[in-house]
Amino acid sequence: RHQPHDQHDHHQRDAEEPDELPQRPCRRVPVDHPQRGPGLGETFHTLDILAEEGIQYVCDWVNDDQPYPMRTAHGRIISIPYSIEVNDRPLFGGPAWTAPDFLQMVKDHFDTLYREGESSGRVMALALHPYLIGAPALIKYLTEALEYIGKHQGAWFATGGEIVDWYCQHYLTGV
């Protein structure tokens, strides 16, 4: 997961590569532009560099169903849940799962988090890749899964930035 690269190497490499972040007025880094490394990978310095560049959250950690803050050398960065359990890439990347299996897995995953969320909210990250789930034979199963989730009272379809804003307002006030 972590690669022992030198922090200077990151900054040098970043200086040589074009800035790919979309910019808004005043050159503010968009809140809704999370960082997720390829293959969920990071180095020992990734979070420090991201926080220094103004990134407010990451989606690389698959260890919780709730957001949480992480300390960096440049302040706090929020980890919001990312899922490998209901991710279409590993499910459809091989012959092991069918589209109806995917639908049932999403429903079961949601049902568990919905029950657990009665006392404290949960985030269900449904990781999707358009070239997979967008295939004509699969898209109807995604549509059915989203309709199922949407029928539940209190279910919220939110962006990462909206989740971070809500979390910070309710759990990090005065921190």
Side-chain angles (χ1 to χ4, degrees), residues 13-49:
R13 216 175 23 235
D14 289 346
E16 295 169 0
E17 296 174 3
D19 183 8
E20 295 181 19
L21 288 177
Q23 297 297 318
R24 293 186 180 162
C26 303
R27 308 243 340 131
R28 179 177 171 265
V29 176
V31 171
D32 244 354
H33 190 89
Q35 177 64 31
R36 203 178 64 67
L40 303 176
E42 295 178 350
T43 71
F44 291 115
H45 305 289
T46 301
L47 295 177
D48 293 332
I49 293 168

Side-chain angles (χ1 to χ4, degrees), residues 31 33-36 42 45-61 67-80 164 167-168 172:
V31 171
H33 190 89
Q35 177 64 31
R36 203 178 64 67
E42 295 178 350
H45 305 289
T46 301
L47 295 177
D48 293 332
I49 293 168
L50 294 174
E52 181 181 22
E53 294 297 323
I55 300 295
Q56 296 178 3
Y57 68 98
V58 293
C59 305
D60 275 345
W61 298 80
Y68 59 89
M70 296 187 290
R71 286 189 211 119
T72 75
H74 302 283
R76 170 181 69 219
I77 195 165
I78 305 297
S79 174
I80 62 171
V164 169
Y167 174 77
C168 290
L172 297 181

Side-chain angles (χ1 to χ4, degrees), residues 22 39 44 48-50 52-53 60 64 96-99 102 108 112 128 133 141-142 145 153 158 161 171:
F44 291 115
D48 293 332
I49 293 168
L50 294 174
E52 181 181 22
E53 294 297 323
D60 275 345
D64 207 331
W97 299 95
T98 67
F102 170 78
D108 292 345
T112 298
L128 305 170
I133 199 66
Y141 294 96
L142 172 62
Q153 182 180 351
Y171 290 98

Side-chain angles (χ1 to χ4, degrees), residues 125-142:
L126 188 55
L128 305 170
H129 303 81
Y131 73 94
L132 288 171
I133 199 66
L138 301 178
I139 193 71
K140 72 179 187 177
Y141 294 96
L142 172 62

